[in-house]
Amino acid sequence: MVSRRGRFRSAQLRSLVGKYPRSLAGQVFALQVALVVLLVAAAMLALVVESRYDSETEARRRSIAVAQTFAHAPGLPAALSAPDPSRVLQPLAEAGRKAADVDFIVVTDTQGIRYTHPRPELIGKRVVGDIGPPLAGHVYTESVNGPLGREVQAIVPVRDSAHKVVGLVAAGMKAENVAGAVTRQVPIILGAGAGALTVATAGTALVARRLRRQTHRLGPAEMTRMYEHHDAVLHSVREGVLIVGNDGRLLLANDEARRLLDLPLDAEGRHISEVAGLDPGMAALLTSGRTATDEVHLVGDRLLAVNQRTTDRHGGPKGTVATLRDSTELRALSGRAESARERLRLLYDAGLGIGTSLDVVSTAQELAEVAVPRLADFATVDLADPVLRGDEPTGTDADMRRTAVHGIRDDHPLYRPGRLTSFLPSTPQARAFATGRPELVPDLSAAPGWLAQDPELTRRIVDYGIHSLITVPLQARGVILGMANFWRSGKPEPFDEDDLSLAEELVARAAVSIDNARRYTREHVMAVTLQRSLLPRALPEQSALEVAHRYLPAISGVSGDWFDVIPLPGSRVALVVGDVVGHGLHAAATMGRLRTAVHNFSTLDLPPDEILGHLDDLVARIDQEEAETAAGAGVMGATCLYVIYDPVSHHCAVARAGHPPPALVRPDGDVSFPDLPAGPPLGLGGMPFETAELTVAEGTQFVLYTDGLIEDRTRDIDVGIELLRQALAGHPGRSPEDSCQAVLDALLPSRPKDDVALLIARTRAIPPDRVADWDVPFDPAAVAGMRAAAARKLDDWGLPALAFPMELVLSELITNAIRYGSAPVTVRLLYDRTLTCEVADASSTSPHLRDAALMDEGGRGLFLVARVAERWGTRYTPQGKVIWAELSLPRAGGGADGTAWLDVFGAGL
């Protein structure tokens, strides 16, 4: 075997050497050496040219730099104006020339007369070159024939302090020195070129040697043997091969191609169009000459994958070569794999696309949208009514409400969302709901149980083209929440078992998301119900303010925002807006505690800063209690804004604890945000609160709000404040109710992410003729005169029925003020929804109601006041205190509540 292989190679070598004096490898070597020499020569020429250009450019740059440096030297303008500039400048120019390594530095006047030169005999003569551009203020470079020979010079203007050109500086080098730099680089360039030629020649030799080793100097006999081997391989492979000439004749067809195309034995040499039995589509492709990649053609009962390329891409004869591969079984297998992959992709997309929100309706709609069109042409979701409310279905009622519908078209005859349907026991939906197992209906037109549900509608559905149905129960934690229905119309084939299993898996995943949304809906409804029960259901009646309010819970849960309107004695009203930090039931419950505390503190009639101080202590105690419990969530503080408005004096007292300031809309429509002391949030402790005093005109609107109105992740808080200002400004006659709606429309999205409480109140004033004031002499004898004055005022107001009880109240309160209080003593009657009597003195001693014994001489005055008046109390002021009592006005029907004082004496007095 070895000897035969040796003889084979020696015969090949003799054949090639005899025919060609130089082998193929030698020719390649000679060609590559010649190419490398040419490239190296071109590179050397380019390097010489570039080096010369770079040297001249460098000479110009150096000349400009030296000339500019010397021209800008301090004292040069002064030296030019000296009596003998050459004596000063010649030494400096020569020293600079040597230091800068240039051939000359010449200083001239504006006429071009030299003051300096390396050859002193040329001083006083005109410089060689164009001095026009430098005199115009430009830097000018040129090549001239100067005293030193061919020179490259740069001329720079010299300016005085007024930027006037007073001289010129020329610096440069002789051309032979520039060329000398290039000449010095030539050996380096030649050496580099020689090295490159050596390396390239060595590489070329290695390539040629490897080529000789790989070709083995094959001869004709060996090439024939190789052709025979290739021909054997060509006819034994399991892939058809066809070669078609440029004239459309079939030049070659291997055995596999003959089998796949059923070619006759004499097919080779014939034109493609003359080959009997060849498929027309395949014949068209073979004669087209175009490129094809894995094109599938149906030939008989086979699916053939065809690839076709031209044969002249590398200089060969023109024509095409085509390969054929039988992909019938592979197509079937890949179709099943693609179908399985598509199902997995659908389930993956369902995991991402279903349950993106904790909303039952949205989740049902996401299920319908994911299923269309990849599983069905139409999808509907029916849920039990309790599920939509967050409750669990009873499991006995088959009534379903259409919750979601989605399809490839919008003109379908299926039930629309919102319709409540009671499915007959014969329908697939009712059977699936009863058994908990899915139902597959391949042909709806042949399903009498389904057709009986609504004969007119079901007939229209069949006529529309919907022919197959899958209904799957939405079941989670053993509870059926509803039904998912998948309808097919576009594809002629009905749903099959594979589609049923896919629908089951898809619905099983969606049912968990719908159940989570249902449970969240229940908890959210409970939390919102709790929060709304803690907020005012109706605002109290009062005359000082016209009030409108809004409360919008966040889509993600409840929060601790609240508002309140609290009537105070003397027809005054307190406005409160607050916000507990955090969300959830804990924040809502804490808000309820704070709101109750505000009501309790307000009954003490304290100023706003003191009320906030009490709230601060309460929040700190709540935080401490929560921190001491194992599961305590902690409140972490709250904010609050407290406003008291007096309709008699138009006086307003405001204090805030870390809350946004209120907006004031004046009667002319102008909007302002008063600069109020901010105060720390409630719960921090350690810092006092301050009350700001304001006086507002009648018709002014107070706008109180929580931070959810103006804050948003997509905008700065200053932008929110400005939007609020724009929504309020310019509408002086707009009611508070309309203002509330305008503010919400301008600042909030359709589904806010944070709770929002908004309170807008327009101030009113009590007419002066319904207020009476008297200064009371500090003498017990003055009581009788005050009773008479009060009785006359009540007659003027048309309230004579209240004269006696009012006189009784005045007598007791004025007597106590004179006996136990301090001067001055004042009395004020206020006629509003009630009749209010206020007695003020300078003492801070608070009266107390006590039960006097039968034989006691005193102690019954406040008891009488408490029995006659509807309410009474004490209010402290910076000047002392005010004792007030309210009497109910007579009824409109004629009877007067004021006569109820008679019952006092019937009670055993």
Side-chain angles (χ1 to χ4, degrees):
M1 183 68 179
V2 175
S3 60
R4 289 181 61 187
R5 181 174 300 176
R7 289 195 301 272
F8 174 80
R9 290 184 177 178
S10 61
Q12 171 199 15
L13 181 60
R14 288 194 300 271
S15 175
L16 290 178
V17 170
K19 289 185 178 181
Y20 302 100
R22 183 181 298 275
S23 65
L24 177 61
Q27 295 179 26
V28 171
F29 175 75
L31 178 62
Q32 290 184 347
V33 169
L35 180 62
V36 169
V37 172
L38 180 61
L39 291 176
V40 169
M44 291 177 59
L45 178 61
L47 287 174
V48 169
V49 173
E50 183 179 2
S51 179
R52 180 179 296 276
Y53 173 76
D54 290 344
S55 299
E56 185 173 347
T57 301
E58 178 62 24
R60 291 179 181 273
R61 284 200 296 265
R62 186 188 301 178
S63 300
I64 292 173
V66 172
Q68 286 182 333
T69 302
F70 200 86
H72 297 157
L76 182 58
L80 288 172
S81 62
D84 188 4
S86 297
R87 185 176 60 83
V88 178
L89 296 176
Q90 177 68 9
L92 297 176
E94 287 302 299
R97 177 181 66 81
K98 296 176 181 179
D101 194 19
V102 295
D103 291 327
F104 61 89
I105 296 178
V106 177
V107 182
T108 73
D109 60 6
T110 57
Q111 303 299 321
I113 304 302
R114 299 188 184 97
Y115 289 142
T116 66
H117 198 277
R119 293 168 56 182
E121 67 272 12
L122 298 178
I123 295 175
K125 297 182 179 181
R126 182 178 177 81
V127 69
V128 177
D130 186 3
I131 64 173
L135 291 177
H138 304 294
V139 176
Y140 183 67
T141 61
E142 60 181 348
S143 295
V144 298
N145 291 319
L148 302 179
R150 189 67 180 174
E151 301 170 348
V152 177
Q153 67 178 7
I155 306 176
V156 178
V158 179
R159 302 177 185 270
D160 58 7
S161 59
H163 297 283
K164 180 181 178 183
V165 177
V166 298
L168 304 174
V169 174
M173 301 177 63
K174 294 185 291 184
E176 59 186 19
N177 291 338
V178 175
V182 177
T183 303
R184 290 192 296 271
Q185 295 178 4
V186 170
I188 300 176
I189 297 173
L190 292 176
L197 178 60
T198 301
V199 172
T201 303
T204 303
L206 292 176
V207 171
R209 182 179 178 184
R210 185 175 182 86
L211 181 61
R212 286 195 303 271
R213 185 170 62 251
Q214 290 181 349
T215 58
H216 303 291
R217 300 180 182 272
L218 292 177
E222 288 74 19
M223 294 295 292
T224 301
R225 182 76 57 85
M226 182 179 295
Y227 172 78
E228 294 174 351
H229 290 167
H230 288 174
D231 186 65
V233 172
L234 179 67
H235 289 282
S236 63
V237 295
R238 291 293 306 275
E239 187 165 335
V241 178
L242 298 172
I243 300 178
V244 180
N246 190 40
D247 57 354
R249 294 185 178 277
L250 179 62
L251 302 180
L252 173 68
N254 69 348
D255 295 341
E256 183 68 9
R258 294 177 182 275
R259 184 183 71 84
L260 294 176
L261 298 178
D262 293 330
L263 297 178
L265 296 177
D266 60 347
E268 291 183 353
R270 291 177 176 271
H271 196 276
I272 291 295
S273 60
E274 300 174 355
V275 177
L278 185 60
D279 179 76
M282 181 62 65
L285 173 62
L286 296 176
T287 56
S288 65
R290 62 181 177 87
T291 300
T293 302
D294 285 339
E295 285 190 10
V296 179
H297 289 262
L298 179 62
V299 179
D301 58 350
R302 297 188 181 96
L303 284 175
L304 301 183
V306 183
N307 290 274
Q308 181 169 276
R309 297 291 185 274
T310 59
T311 58
D312 59 348
R313 299 176 61 186
H314 303 290
K318 290 185 178 182
T320 57
V321 57
T323 61
L324 312 175
R325 185 173 67 254
D326 189 356
S327 61
T328 305
E329 296 180 359
L330 181 61
R331 286 283 172 176
L333 181 61
S334 64
R336 291 192 294 270
E338 180 63 27
S339 178
R341 184 163 51 250
E342 180 60 28
R343 293 171 185 269
L344 290 176
R345 189 180 300 114
L346 174 59
L347 294 176
Y348 174 77
D349 293 342
L352 297 178
I354 300 178
T356 59
S357 66
L358 292 173
D359 182 76
V360 174
V361 177
S362 298
T363 306
Q365 186 65 33
E366 289 169 350
L367 168 60
E369 291 176 356
V370 166
V372 176
R374 298 158 72 178
L375 173 61
D377 298 314
F378 297 93
T380 61
V381 179
D382 302 318
L383 297 178
D385 258 354
V387 175
L388 298 174
R389 299 191 298 268
D391 301 328
E392 288 190 359
T394 60
T396 59
D397 189 0
D399 289 352
M400 298 287 172
R401 189 171 296 278
R402 181 60 48 88
T403 307
V405 178
H406 188 67
I408 58 176
R409 293 169 56 184
D410 295 332
D411 59 346
H412 57 81
L414 301 171
Y415 287 145
R416 300 295 173 174
R419 179 186 175 94
L420 183 64
T421 304
S422 180
F423 291 103
L424 297 178
S426 62
T427 60
Q429 289 85 352
R431 292 196 302 269
F433 184 81
T435 62
R437 294 190 297 271
E439 291 277 336
L440 169 61
V441 183
D443 187 2
L444 289 174
S445 61
W450 175 77
L451 293 171
Q453 172 67 33
D454 187 343
E456 181 181 353
L457 178 65
T458 54
R459 182 54 56 189
R460 284 196 289 121
I461 292 176
V462 172
D463 293 342
Y464 184 80
I466 297 177
H467 57 81
S468 187
L469 166 67
I470 292 178
T471 180
V472 184
L474 282 159
Q475 188 170 359
R477 300 183 297 108
V479 178
I480 297 179
L481 308 175
M483 307 300 299
N485 306 292
F486 305 99
W487 314 80
R488 175 168 288 180
S489 64
K491 297 180 180 179
E493 64 273 9
F495 286 120
D496 55 20
E497 292 297 329
D498 290 340
D499 297 322
L500 180 62
S501 61
L502 176 61
E504 283 188 89
E505 182 68 23
L506 180 64
V507 172
R509 298 189 180 197
V512 176
S513 299
I514 291 178
D515 187 57
N516 290 337
R518 177 195 64 80
R519 299 170 66 183
Y520 171 79
T521 300
R522 181 184 60 187
E523 295 176 1
H524 183 69
V525 169
M526 293 173 57
V528 171
T529 302
L530 170 63
Q531 187 175 33
R532 290 192 180 278
S533 67
L534 297 175
L535 292 172
R537 297 188 179 182
L539 297 181
E541 295 183 357
Q542 42 81 33
S543 303
L545 298 168
E546 178 188 357
V547 181
H549 63 88
R550 292 288 190 280
Y551 172 75
L552 277 72
I555 60 174
S556 59
V558 297
S559 184
D561 294 14
W562 91 91
F563 65 91
D564 224 328
V565 178
I566 306 173
L568 299 177
S571 296
R572 297 169 303 134
V573 178
L575 302 175
V576 190
V577 171
D579 184 5
V580 176
V581 175
H583 293 79
L585 292 176
H586 180 75
T590 304
M591 175 270 289
R593 298 175 66 178
L594 294 183
R595 180 172 177 256
T596 302
V598 170
H599 270 270
N600 293 334
F601 294 145
S602 297
T603 59
L604 301 177
D605 215 345
L606 300 175
D609 57 335
E610 293 187 27
I611 288 182
L612 292 183
H614 288 300
L615 286 178
D616 184 55
D617 295 337
L618 175 61
V619 173
R621 288 197 301 273
I622 294 175
D623 275 340
Q624 184 176 2
E625 292 173 0
E626 295 293 339
E628 291 174 356
T629 61
V635 177
M636 299 302 293
T639 64
C640 185
L641 175 65
Y642 195 93
V643 181
I644 296 178
Y645 171 67
D646 188 346
V648 177
S649 63
H650 300 179
H651 181 76
C652 181
V654 186
R656 63 187 181 117
H659 202 84
L664 293 182
V665 184
R666 296 185 177 87
D668 60 358
D670 186 35
V671 180
S672 64
F673 294 85
D675 187 12
L676 305 177
L682 300 175
L684 297 182
M687 297 185 65
F689 300 97
E690 300 182 42
T691 297
E693 307 289 341
L694 304 174
T695 300
V696 297
E698 182 180 0
T700 299
Q701 293 189 32
F702 290 97
V703 181
L704 286 69
Y705 51 90
T706 54
D707 56 3
L709 181 69
I710 58 174
E711 289 185 357
D712 192 272
R713 294 181 180 178
T714 60
R715 68 182 183 223
D716 189 72
I717 187 172
D718 293 336
V719 177
I721 291 290
E722 182 59 29
L723 290 176
L724 177 60
R725 182 196 304 274
Q726 295 175 6
L728 294 171
H731 302 279
R734 189 167 59 187
S735 66
E737 189 71 27
D738 294 338
S739 294
C740 278
Q741 193 59 46
V743 168
L744 296 182
D745 293 341
L747 275 81
L748 291 185
S750 58
R751 306 185 71 185
K753 297 181 180 179
D754 193 10
D755 284 22
V756 175
L758 175 64
L759 188 65
I760 299 181
R762 175 185 289 168
T763 60
R764 295 170 176 167
I766 295 181
D769 58 355
R770 290 204 171 194
V771 181
D773 297 275
W774 296 279
D775 292 327
V776 181
F778 202 71
D779 183 357
V783 176
M786 291 307 305
R787 286 200 303 266
R792 290 191 299 270
K793 178 56 68 175
L794 291 181
D795 289 339
D796 295 341
W797 286 343
L799 302 173
L802 297 182
F804 183 80
M806 179 55 67
E807 291 179 7
L808 179 61
V809 170
L810 276 176
S811 297
E812 294 299 331
L813 295 184
I814 295 175
T815 300
N816 285 342
I818 295 175
R819 180 178 298 178
Y820 304 110
S822 304
V825 178
T826 61
V827 173
R828 184 174 76 166
L829 295 183
L830 185 62
Y831 176 23
D832 191 22
R833 292 180 177 270
T834 60
L835 182 62
T836 304
C837 172
E838 297 180 348
V839 177
D841 67 83
S843 172
S844 298
T845 304
S846 175
H848 296 282
L849 181 67
R850 67 187 182 90
D851 188 8
L854 184 61
M855 302 303 295
D856 289 347
E857 296 183 0
R860 296 179 179 85
L862 287 181
F863 179 79
L864 291 174
V865 171
R867 293 300 300 271
V868 172
E870 184 179 355
R871 294 191 308 161
W872 75 280
T874 304
R875 179 172 74 252
Y876 293 95
T877 66
Q879 294 78 26
K881 68 176 182 298
V882 175
I883 309 298
W884 56 269
E886 292 182 356
L887 278 69
S888 298
L889 299 180
R891 293 190 181 96
D897 288 345
T899 59
W901 58 271
L902 295 174
D903 296 337
V904 174
F905 300 98
L909 286 178

